[in-house]
Amino acid sequence: MKKELQLPVENIKGVGEETTQLLGEMGIQTILDVLEYFPYRYEDYELRDIETIKHEERVTIQGKVQSMPTLQYYGKKKSKLTFRILIGRVLVSVVCFNRPYLKEKIQLDELVTVTGKWDQNRLIITASEVKIGESTEKGTIEPVYSVRGKLTVKGMRRIIQLALKQYGSGIEDFIPQELQTKYKLLPRKEAITYLHQPISPNHVKHGRRRIVYEEFLLFQLKMQALRKVQREQGEGMAKQFDVKKLQTFITSLPFPLTKAQERVVSEIKSDLSSVYRMNRLLQGDVGSGKTVVAAIGLYATYLAGFQGALMVPTEILAEQHFQSLKEILEPFSVRVELLTSSVKGVRRRELLGQLENGEIHILVGTHALIQEEVNFTNLGFVITDEQHRFGVKQRKVLREKGINPDVLFMTATPIPRTLAITAFGEMDVSIIDEMPAGRKVIETYWAKEQMLERVLDFVEKELSKGRQAYVICPLIEESEKLDVQNAIDVHGMLSEHYRGKWNVGLMHGRLSASEKEEVMRQFSDNKVQLLVSTTVVEVGVNVPNATMMVIYDAERFGLSQLHQLRGRVGRGSEQSYCILLADPKSEVGKERMRIMTETNDGFVLSEKDLELRGPGDFFGNKQSGIPEFKVADMVHDYRALETARNDAQILIQSKEFWHEQKFQLLRQYIYHTGVLDGEKLD
Ligand code: ADP
Ligand code: MG
């Protein structure tokens, strides 16, 4: 990598101490950082014909002032200025926020040029710029940067211009020439220049194309190199287990495995018995039967003389997994124990001791498992359930508790292919894409809140058949800010409504672990028929007799979450129902409700969720290991992502890539760019 581009920003002529400081606060330290600080949008100053512009487009238009501006203040510094202009025969309203001084400048019958966002329905332009008179910058587009503190967009443009002038010639290409030619990509220097100083929208398009590909290629190379290195180090232990005993265990299960389960079991078996360390993601919709698969893997581990661990995100889930594993494994002399933060004092010390001397074979638990004091004798297999709730770091700590144990990540949130090939590019992926036989599709309806009475009648009908129901609310208590249903109120209302007929339970995250357990037990023993709950029942809870779920304010949940919630019903052989009570205001909200009523397929839902929300929101936090690209967008640029992935595969597998001089720069880039936080190749 060229040294000069690694120099601090103060080397740019014209950038002083104060600017250096401001840039530093935004994480921009080197000259390369400046050059790669790309605009997030462009202002288009090319004068447009009002007939051709589209709704929500950002445009520049020009017209004669038809009305004197009116100025409204709200709050201390906030204001809104409104006036009308005539363009041809169309009367357009111009709205400017927080620029009260413009009022004096706007004169009747004068020509003004306005740049801003167009609202086709109401014929309003929300102006980011207003110029008196003719447009001066005909046909140019200007980059808009995200800035902070005292730095302005104009200031940023200037800094980047200076950097380009002084150091632009030092921008190197690191993508192999063959690929650059194959895809007709711009050289890097040009691409960067075009993105910062475009003369036409075409410049932006081509500049972007190049940088998107480059970002994906680097990322994929890094992931796949990581995987290769891990595989070749391969210090995992080959586990030898008695295949016959394992088969006996599988046959002892109360049901035959589905084809998909069988396939995944054999993938896991071969990982366990190979010297390569397993690093596998297991995806399967709620109820597809992942737990059994986990149990089989854990039993094989036990047969091979190793300990196993299962880590889950909540105590309830830990307890449930503990119970079901114990039930099926104890008859085979496997000792399963539970460790959560509620296990304390003497009991805890005892457990930890037995874990350390190997008396405990399988440990189930929450985050408590990764505390320092927890030591295994020979941890050989680690499973985490609902992996996306654990950050990259936590996954790593758990892995380090053993000597290169095999690792399986299970998730019931089907991860869209797009994300799976980026975020989990270094893993093998197994999929259970088949439900156990006899499962019925959960009938899902969307009802407005005023239809509550009818919904309650429906609930009653199910309860009369001896079934049970969940009612999900977004909040625990009444909130002043939000007009949404809370569990405590709904519990009160339903207790009243069904008084003397049904018992109504209440469950939320503020109950202690033992209280939660008590409520759950009552529900699963059918002492409580109707359970009002917040989303704490989201993961894992299993009560097959529950066939009905009502979700209040369903528009407040994302698709994946709704799907998870809905997965609490439909677990037995009876027909199940889910009713979404929602009055969504936005189009996206309505779309979500519609999709929910149309499909039960978790993979379809997750793709839609990603589309509606964007990748940033999908996993909820930055720790998830999803990279942040500067220009590329995983959803939008999906095709480029796949292309880059294939190219990366070919490169990583070739000898030339690892040895030849011409790839040296590229190798340097994948080692040194922080594409994947927290994980290092070397
Ligand atoms: P997941 O963890 O994938 O949500 P579970 O492992 O909890 O699913 O399984 C859901 C339910 O289906 C459980 O009651 C389980 O006993 C049952 N089950 C699992 N596999 C099968 C199968 N092959 N045939 C019938 N029922 C199954
Ligand atoms: Mg499960």
Side-chain angles (χ1 to χ4, degrees), residues 255-258 261 285-292 436 439 542 571:
F255 40 72
L257 296 182
T258 61
Q261 281 171 320
D285 217 338
V286 256
S288 62
K290 294 182 295 299
T291 314
V292 183
R439 279 301 155 66
N542 192 20
R571 299 177 82 85

CSV table of all heavy atoms in Angstrom, one decimal, residues 255-258 261 285-292 436 439 542 571, ligand 1:
chain,number,residue,atom,x,y,z
A,255,PHE,N,-40.2,-40.2,17.4
A,255,PHE,CA,-40.7,-40.0,16.0
A,255,PHE,C,-39.5,-40.2,15.0
A,255,PHE,O,-38.3,-40.1,15.4
A,255,PHE,CB,-41.2,-38.6,15.8
A,255,PHE,CG,-40.3,-37.5,16.5
A,255,PHE,CD1,-39.1,-37.2,16.0
A,255,PHE,CD2,-40.8,-36.9,17.6
A,255,PHE,CE1,-38.3,-36.3,16.7
A,255,PHE,CE2,-40.0,-36.0,18.3
A,255,PHE,CZ,-38.8,-35.7,17.9
A,256,PRO,N,-39.8,-40.6,13.8
A,256,PRO,CA,-38.7,-40.7,12.8
A,256,PRO,C,-38.2,-39.3,12.4
A,256,PRO,O,-39.0,-38.4,12.4
A,256,PRO,CB,-39.3,-41.4,11.7
A,256,PRO,CG,-40.8,-41.1,11.7
A,256,PRO,CD,-41.1,-40.9,13.2
A,257,LEU,N,-36.9,-39.2,12.1
A,257,LEU,CA,-36.4,-37.9,11.7
A,257,LEU,C,-36.9,-37.6,10.3
A,257,LEU,O,-37.2,-38.5,9.5
A,257,LEU,CB,-34.9,-37.9,11.6
A,257,LEU,CG,-34.1,-38.1,12.9
A,257,LEU,CD1,-32.6,-38.1,12.7
A,257,LEU,CD2,-34.5,-37.1,14.0
A,258,THR,N,-37.1,-36.3,10.1
A,258,THR,CA,-37.4,-35.9,8.7
A,258,THR,C,-36.2,-36.0,7.8
A,258,THR,O,-35.1,-36.1,8.3
A,258,THR,CB,-37.9,-34.4,8.6
A,258,THR,OG1,-36.8,-33.6,9.0
A,258,THR,CG2,-39.1,-34.2,9.5
A,261,GLN,N,-33.8,-33.4,8.6
A,261,GLN,CA,-33.0,-33.6,9.9
A,261,GLN,C,-32.0,-34.7,9.6
A,261,GLN,O,-30.8,-34.6,10.1
A,261,GLN,CB,-34.0,-34.1,10.9
A,261,GLN,CG,-34.8,-33.0,11.6
A,261,GLN,CD,-35.9,-33.5,12.5
A,261,GLN,OE1,-36.6,-34.5,12.2
A,261,GLN,NE2,-36.1,-32.8,13.6
A,285,ASP,N,-36.5,-23.2,10.4
A,285,ASP,CA,-37.7,-22.5,10.8
A,285,ASP,C,-38.1,-22.9,12.2
A,285,ASP,O,-37.8,-24.0,12.6
A,285,ASP,CB,-38.8,-22.7,9.9
A,285,ASP,CG,-39.6,-21.4,9.7
A,285,ASP,OD1,-39.6,-20.5,10.6
A,285,ASP,OD2,-40.3,-21.2,8.6
A,286,VAL,N,-38.9,-22.1,12.9
A,286,VAL,CA,-39.4,-22.5,14.2
A,286,VAL,C,-40.2,-23.8,14.1
A,286,VAL,O,-41.0,-23.9,13.1
A,286,VAL,CB,-40.4,-21.5,14.8
A,286,VAL,CG1,-39.7,-20.7,15.9
A,286,VAL,CG2,-40.9,-20.5,13.8
A,287,GLY,N,-39.9,-24.7,15.0
A,287,GLY,CA,-40.6,-26.0,14.9
A,287,GLY,C,-40.1,-27.0,14.0
A,287,GLY,O,-40.7,-28.1,13.8
A,288,SER,N,-39.0,-26.7,13.3
A,288,SER,CA,-38.5,-27.6,12.3
A,288,SER,C,-37.8,-28.8,12.9
A,288,SER,O,-37.4,-29.7,12.3
A,288,SER,CB,-37.7,-26.9,11.2
A,288,SER,OG,-36.5,-26.3,11.9
A,289,GLY,N,-37.5,-28.6,14.2
A,289,GLY,CA,-36.9,-29.7,14.9
A,289,GLY,C,-35.4,-29.7,15.0
A,289,GLY,O,-34.7,-30.6,14.8
A,290,LYS,N,-34.9,-28.5,15.4
A,290,LYS,CA,-33.4,-28.3,15.5
A,290,LYS,C,-32.9,-28.9,16.9
A,290,LYS,O,-31.8,-29.4,16.9
A,290,LYS,CB,-33.1,-26.8,15.5
A,290,LYS,CG,-33.3,-26.2,14.2
A,290,LYS,CD,-32.9,-24.7,14.2
A,290,LYS,CE,-33.7,-23.9,15.1
A,290,LYS,NZ,-35.2,-23.8,14.8
A,291,THR,N,-33.8,-28.9,17.9
A,291,THR,CA,-33.3,-29.3,19.2
A,291,THR,C,-32.9,-30.8,19.2
A,291,THR,O,-31.9,-31.2,19.8
A,291,THR,CB,-34.4,-29.1,20.2
A,291,THR,OG1,-34.9,-27.8,20.0
A,291,THR,CG2,-33.9,-29.2,21.6
A,292,VAL,N,-33.7,-31.6,18.5
A,292,VAL,CA,-33.4,-33.0,18.4
A,292,VAL,C,-32.0,-33.2,17.7
A,292,VAL,O,-31.2,-34.0,18.1
A,292,VAL,CB,-34.5,-33.8,17.6
A,292,VAL,CG1,-34.2,-35.2,17.5
A,292,VAL,CG2,-35.8,-33.5,18.1
A,436,PRO,N,-41.8,-31.3,10.3
A,436,PRO,CA,-42.2,-32.7,10.6
A,436,PRO,C,-43.6,-32.9,10.0
A,436,PRO,O,-44.4,-32.0,9.9
A,436,PRO,CB,-42.3,-32.7,12.1
A,436,PRO,CG,-41.3,-31.7,12.6
A,436,PRO,CD,-41.3,-30.6,11.5
A,439,ARG,N,-47.8,-31.3,10.3
A,439,ARG,CA,-47.9,-29.9,10.7
A,439,ARG,C,-48.9,-29.1,9.8
A,439,ARG,O,-48.8,-29.3,8.6
A,439,ARG,CB,-46.6,-29.1,10.6
A,439,ARG,CG,-45.6,-29.3,11.8
A,439,ARG,CD,-46.1,-28.9,13.1
A,439,ARG,NE,-45.4,-29.7,14.1
A,439,ARG,CZ,-44.1,-29.5,14.3
A,439,ARG,NH1,-43.4,-28.6,13.6
A,439,ARG,NH2,-43.5,-30.2,15.2
A,542,ASN,N,-42.5,-24.0,24.2
A,542,ASN,CA,-43.2,-25.1,23.5
A,542,ASN,C,-44.4,-25.6,24.3
A,542,ASN,O,-44.3,-26.3,25.3
A,542,ASN,CB,-42.2,-26.2,23.3
A,542,ASN,CG,-42.8,-27.2,22.3
A,542,ASN,OD1,-43.7,-26.9,21.5
A,542,ASN,ND2,-42.2,-28.4,22.3
A,571,ARG,N,-47.7,-26.0,17.0
A,571,ARG,CA,-46.7,-27.0,17.4
A,571,ARG,C,-47.3,-28.4,17.7
A,571,ARG,O,-46.6,-29.3,17.9
A,571,ARG,CB,-46.0,-26.5,18.6
A,571,ARG,CG,-45.2,-25.2,18.3
A,571,ARG,CD,-44.5,-24.6,19.5
A,571,ARG,NE,-43.2,-25.2,19.7
A,571,ARG,CZ,-42.1,-24.9,19.1
A,571,ARG,NH1,-42.1,-23.9,18.2
A,571,ARG,NH2,-41.0,-25.5,19.4
B,1,ADP,P1,-37.1,-25.9,16.8
B,1,ADP,O1,-36.1,-25.9,17.9
B,1,ADP,O2,-36.5,-26.1,15.5
B,1,ADP,O3,-38.0,-24.7,16.8
B,1,ADP,P2,-38.0,-28.2,18.1
B,1,ADP,O4,-36.8,-29.0,18.1
B,1,ADP,O5,-38.4,-27.5,19.4
B,1,ADP,O6,-38.0,-27.2,17.0
B,1,ADP,O7,-39.2,-29.1,17.6
B,1,ADP,C1,-40.5,-28.7,17.6
B,1,ADP,C2,-41.4,-29.8,18.0
B,1,ADP,O8,-41.4,-30.8,17.0
B,1,ADP,C3,-41.0,-30.5,19.3
B,1,ADP,O9,-42.1,-30.8,20.0
B,1,ADP,C4,-40.3,-31.8,18.8
B,1,ADP,O10,-40.4,-32.8,19.7
B,1,ADP,C5,-41.1,-32.1,17.5
B,1,ADP,N1,-40.3,-32.8,16.5
B,1,ADP,C6,-39.0,-32.6,16.1
B,1,ADP,N2,-38.7,-33.4,15.1
B,1,ADP,C7,-39.7,-34.1,14.8
B,1,ADP,C8,-40.0,-35.1,13.8
B,1,ADP,N3,-39.0,-35.5,12.9
B,1,ADP,N4,-41.2,-35.6,13.7
B,1,ADP,C9,-42.2,-35.2,14.6
B,1,ADP,N5,-42.0,-34.3,15.5
B,1,ADP,C10,-40.8,-33.7,15.6
